[in-house]
Amino acid sequence: MWEETLEQTVPPVREWPAADLPGSDFDPVLAGLMREGPVTRISLPNGEGWAWLVTRHDDVRTVTGDPRFGREAVADRQVTRFARHFVPARGAVGFLDPPEHTRLRRAVAAAFTARGVERVRERSRALLHGLVDALLEAGPPADLVEAVLRPFPIAVTCELMGVPAADRPRMHTWTRLVLSPAHGAEAGERAKHEMTAYFAGLVGRRADSVAEDVTSLLGAAVGRGEITRDEAVGLAVLLQLGGDAVTDNSGQMFHLLLSRPELAERLRAEPEIRPRAVDEMLRWIPHRNAVGLARIALEDVELGGVRIRAGDAVYVSYLAANRDPEVFPDPDTVDFSRGPGAHVSFGFGPHSCPGALLARMEAELLVGTLVDRVPGLRAAVPPEDVPFKKGTLIRGPEALPVTW
């Protein structure tokens, strides 16, 4: 009887178009899926078949933290997906399950603790003030993304990674070529190859290092035989590129603040609320156009009134979880008085973002510094005219025209 009930509740498969949504509008298709139920079925533009989509906050945390849902098996499947091309690298940390995943994460964990992030805070602050100095000296109008929001996260990531100052312009160029589809797939692949070769040399020279930056930690782990050189290099490239997500997150934050100047004014008048406000904006901003990597059910699991069979592909939506009214009352409202949240903007479980503390620190520095140092900062174009990225998984403004 129980199995019959579960079979009767299996939802239809819904197509989830990868539309280029305007500004920070919440995806209407995802909103519809959330209304249909906590566990629905979707078909994305590429790959094969369908997959489960989990949207309720507690269920998202269950799937991402439960070893009955694994990542390794995804590498053997062309699951329905957002990305047109899908060639997962064998052994890449994103496609590993514990204990191998734990082993790789452990190699760099010290750099991403509260102590590790504090180690780079003052240098990050100085880098940011230098960018704002240049912004003010050049005068308005300006593109806030090009002047501050793009170079700052790359510079901070380089600082954490231990990339020497002389090499950072190259790293900046490689990052932009890899992550921006506008430059073409060939240019992106070439840049990634050059970045990989660079980190292979840097990690190789740091086998005996006792420093606390990421490449030194990786070099030392290779030297002790805890990870291989290829694993270290792959992780270094992933972490360097991952730091650029702050550009899109902070771009959406400032798009919100420029669109609603009363929020920026409150941050200016009440500096003590800034950490809480940044956390609320991280919860609210729609970071993705769809979903990231799938998981595969390793055994039958009952969730949200349906039975997920062993071998089924499962996606979670962090955006939906962050708008769960059972956890966040009036979830579509930006509320700076909301208490410290249980949002999952940085994921949850073993595959949660290792750079969460670093990203928060960068966002707090950006918001505080620009609000204080450029009090007249305002949008130079109407909010609806701000160009947002197209054809990408991660959402964010391509440019943010401002004046003051």
Side-chain angles (χ1 to χ4, degrees):
M1 186 68 176
W2 181 74
E3 286 199 17
E4 282 184 11
T5 302
L6 289 180
E7 292 298 337
Q8 290 169 3
T9 62
V10 173
V13 178
R14 304 295 190 193
E15 290 188 3
W16 191 357
D20 292 314
L21 298 167
S24 297
D25 290 358
F26 195 77
D27 186 337
V29 179
L30 177 57
L33 289 166
M34 293 166 64
R35 288 191 295 270
E36 283 193 22
V39 183
T40 54
R41 295 196 297 169
I42 57 170
S43 174
L44 291 162
N46 299 290
E48 302 169 357
W50 56 268
W52 296 104
L53 176 69
V54 178
T55 56
R56 189 166 55 190
H57 183 274
D58 289 350
D59 294 338
V60 165
R61 287 167 60 112
T62 293
V63 171
T64 53
D66 192 324
R68 292 178 297 174
F69 299 94
R71 278 275 181 83
E72 287 186 19
V74 176
D76 299 319
R77 303 263 298 274
Q78 287 296 318
V79 298
T80 186
R81 62 187 186 275
F82 178 90
R84 183 180 299 275
H85 303 290
F86 183 68
V87 187
R90 290 286 174 181
V93 67
F95 293 98
L96 290 178
D97 295 326
E100 288 299 286
H101 176 264
T102 308
R103 176 178 60 85
L104 286 191
R105 287 275 293 245
R106 187 186 300 123
V108 296
F112 294 97
T113 61
R115 178 178 177 276
V117 170
E118 283 302 312
R119 183 182 65 83
V120 300
R121 181 183 291 272
E122 289 312 309
R123 178 59 183 152
S124 299
R125 192 190 308 276
L127 288 166
L128 177 57
H129 279 283
L131 292 169
V132 176
D133 287 343
L135 174 77
L136 295 173
E137 184 177 347
D143 175 3
L144 194 62
V145 171
E146 187 65 27
V148 179
L149 303 185
R150 182 174 289 125
F152 177 62
I154 295 174
V156 172
T157 305
C158 284
E159 190 74 24
L160 191 80
M161 296 294 293
V163 174
D167 296 337
R168 293 179 185 180
R170 282 193 292 165
M171 195 62 67
H172 185 96
T173 300
W174 288 331
T175 300
R176 294 190 67 177
L177 289 171
V178 172
L179 295 178
S180 174
H183 301 289
E186 186 176 336
E189 282 301 312
R190 185 166 57 249
K192 189 173 182 180
H193 177 77
E194 291 172 357
M195 183 186 284
T196 299
Y198 172 84
F199 275 120
L202 193 59
V203 168
R205 293 192 295 273
R206 296 183 172 176
D208 299 318
S209 178
V210 294
E212 297 178 299
D213 60 82
V214 170
T215 51
S216 292
L217 292 172
L218 288 170
V222 173
R224 294 190 299 267
E226 295 171 357
I227 61 175
T228 68
R229 174 77 64 85
D230 287 348
E231 289 172 334
V233 172
L235 191 50
V237 170
L238 179 67
L239 292 171
Q240 180 68 49
L241 294 174
D244 187 68
V246 174
T247 295
D248 298 307
N249 282 338
S250 59
Q252 288 213 53
M253 286 186 193
F254 277 97
H255 181 255
L256 172 64
L257 295 175
L258 293 167
S259 303
R260 297 182 54 186
E262 74 279 6
L263 295 178
E265 186 54 44
R266 186 176 175 196
L267 294 177
R268 189 173 295 112
E270 303 176 55
E272 69 278 4
I273 72 166
R274 290 173 187 174
R276 189 168 71 239
V278 165
D279 213 47
E280 170 68 352
M281 288 190 286
L282 285 169
R283 178 197 71 82
W284 184 87
I285 58 176
H287 181 61
R288 298 173 184 266
N289 272 315
V291 281
L293 296 177
R295 290 169 173 79
I296 302 297
L298 304 181
E299 59 183 76
D300 288 4
V301 181
E302 191 277 324
L303 191 70
V306 301
R307 170 164 291 189
I308 298 173
R309 303 284 187 181
D312 285 354
V314 182
Y315 282 105
V316 299
S317 172
Y318 296 126
L319 299 188
N322 282 345
R323 302 288 180 108
D324 186 338
E326 295 298 316
V327 180
F328 307 101
D330 196 11
D332 297 330
T333 297
V334 179
D335 181 5
F336 288 169
S337 65
R338 208 183 291 275
H343 72 70
V344 286
S345 300
F346 297 108
F348 187 77
H351 284 279
S352 61
C353 174
L357 291 177
L358 183 70
R360 277 194 177 92
M361 182 267 286
E362 292 177 69
E364 289 175 17
L365 285 176
L366 281 164
V367 168
T369 300
L370 286 166
V371 162
D372 288 341
R373 292 199 58 192
V374 197
L377 188 69
R378 63 187 187 277
V381 299
E384 61 271 18
D385 290 342
V386 171
F388 269 64
K389 293 181 176 181
K390 295 186 181 298
T392 59
L393 174 61
I394 305 302
R395 294 176 65 179
E398 192 70 56
L400 204 50
V402 295
T403 189
W404 57 92

